[in-house]
Structure formats: structure tokens, C-alpha cells
Amino acid sequence: MLASTFRIRTGHMRIVFFGPNGSGKGTQATLLKSELKVPHISTGDLLRAAVKAGTPLGLRAKVIMEAGKLVSDEMVLGILEERLALPDVVGGFILDGYPRNLVQCAALEELLARLRQPLDIAIKLDVPDAAILARCEQRFALEHRPDDDPAIVRKRLDVYREQTAPVAEHFAQIGKLATVDGVGEVNTVFKRILAVLPRSPA
Ligand code: AMP
């Protein structure tokens, strides 16, 4: 059948979107949100909002986040569960920053099975370490963001490789992983992402 008789399912898509810090994930997730008309849920943003609001969880998370460590699986799952219970998620979501390890991956699958909201696809943005380091170094020179400090970027890449890369393996094994080349212009990368999205008959 012709490709044109299939279209991307706007307003109906459950996506896990991952890639290392500095891979352009945030930019692409924002574009995807406008295209698909489903909320972009970032666990980093949810935690930062809790910190800002000074909730008990936020107060606990603040110290851990400032140390550049990962917040406990339990705390993040709690905050994610609350967010996925809101009505705007009924048509889908783009989940960014979760799952970050295999424990979180199992917890997510259990949660989505309970909510009867199976995942459609996991998209991994692939950017070589050298390109990430170069991007962050450039930004660090201009903006002085502490998390762009080359030593911290290297550390985060290690954590990503050790803990998050196995999550990609898992999605590959269940046939739900799409790996997208994240090197190139923003719009070029975005087109590659659109090309891997599941389609329905028009
Ligand atoms: P991000 O904006 O995704 O880089 O997240 C910022 C910080 O929030 C991380 O460095 C962690 O401390 C915390 N965080 C966000 N998502 C998670 C997660 N899934 N598991 C544990 N900690 C997380």
C-alpha cells in the first residue's frame, strides 16, 4: 500500500524518548509535542517543579539533584504516577528522562499495564560521545551552565552508558526501539524522528 495512505496518529501516541544529556533530546521532544499534540512529561521538570514548590518530596530531591546524583527510583515513580493520573494524558504522552535504569523500566511497564496504556514506541537519539562533549563545551564557554562542565558531562555519559543503555537493549528485545541518528540540523533530526513513528491507515 502507498505510504501516503498512512498518517501519524496525532493525539494518540505513547512514547518513551531517550538519549544522553546534550543529545538535543529536549529540543526534539518539544517539537514532537507540538506535532503530536500530546503532553511532554519530563521527570527532571517534575522534580524541579517539586523543588520550587517546596513539597516534602521536593525538599528531599533538592539535595540529591544538586549533588548531580539520581533521585531514588521510588521517589521518581511516585511523582510520575501522579502525573500520569492527570486527564490530559489520556491520549498519550512523550516521556523524557524516564526510565533511566532497568528497575524504572520494569516499574513503568507495570504502571502502564495497570493503566491499560501500552507504550507505542521507544525512541533513542543517538549522538556519539565526542559530539556531545563538543556541544557541551561550546555551550559551557558561552553560558557557564555548571552541568555543561566537561568533567560532569563525562560523568553523566558514564552513568548513561552503565544504567540507561541497558534500557534501550530491553526495548530492542521487545521490538519497540527505534534508534534515530541525532547528528545534524534540528529539522533534519526531527524529520528522522517523524519517519520512525507508528502510522495508522488514513
Ligand atoms: P534531567 O532534567 O532529566 O537531566 O534531570 C535532572 C535531575 O533530576 C537528574 O540529574 C536527577 O537527579 C533527577 N532525575 C530526573 N529523572 C530521573 C529519573 N528517572 N531517575 C532518577 N533521577 C532523575
Side-chain angles (χ1 to χ4, degrees):
M1 213 177 293
L2 291 172
S4 59
T5 60
F6 287 85
R7 62 178 178 80
I8 295 169
R9 300 187 330 246
T10 49
H12 254 287
M13 190 86 75
R14 288 180 285 269
I15 300 176
V16 160
F17 196 48
F18 62 104
N21 281 67
S23 62
K25 180 166 56 83
T27 307
Q28 295 296 336
T30 305
L31 289 173
L32 202 51
K33 170 192 159 150
S34 310
E35 178 76 25
L36 296 178
K37 308 195 171 32
V38 294
H40 168 209
I41 300 177
S42 146
T43 46
D45 286 350
L46 292 175
L47 287 165
R48 280 183 287 272
V51 170
K52 205 168 164 201
T55 65
L57 185 142
L59 292 177
R60 277 196 291 153
K62 186 173 190 281
V63 192
I64 304 166
M65 289 168 77
E66 279 174 356
K69 295 183 186 159
L70 287 187
V71 173
S72 80
D73 294 336
E74 244 181 8
M75 281 166 73
V76 190
L77 182 63
I79 210 165
L80 180 65
E81 225 168 332
E82 269 178 30
R83 180 63 184 90
L84 290 182
L86 297 183
D88 65 331
V89 175
V90 79
F93 52 78
I94 300 160
L95 190 52
D96 169 2
Y98 193 99
R100 259 177 155 97
N101 59 36
L102 286 174
V103 172
Q104 295 184 2
C105 192
L108 178 68
E109 288 193 327
E110 203 185 301
L111 175 61
L112 294 182
R114 192 154 26 95
L115 297 173
R116 294 183 209 285
Q117 295 193 356
L119 209 62
D120 290 298
I121 189 170
I123 300 174
K124 183 178 109 176
L125 212 50
D126 217 14
V127 179
D129 286 5
I132 287 181
L133 280 162
R135 269 184 201 179
C136 292
E137 255 173 53
Q138 238 177 9
R139 203 165 54 180
F140 188 59
L142 291 172
E143 299 174 24
H144 308 288
R145 274 171 51 171
D147 54 347
D148 283 335
D149 184 311
I152 298 195
V153 175
R154 269 191 208 96
K155 174 85 196 120
R156 283 190 167 189
L157 285 171
D158 286 345
V159 172
Y160 181 84
R161 207 178 355 261
E162 283 159 23
Q163 300 197 33
T164 312
V167 176
E169 273 303 304
H170 167 78
F171 285 124
Q173 274 165 16
I174 62 169
K176 287 202 170 167
L177 182 73
T179 301
V180 170
D181 177 3
V183 179
E185 293 291 321
V186 170
N187 276 330
T188 308
V189 175
F190 187 54
K191 279 186 193 143
R192 292 181 194 137
I193 293 173
L194 293 181
V196 302
L197 292 178
R199 282 162 198 264
S200 301

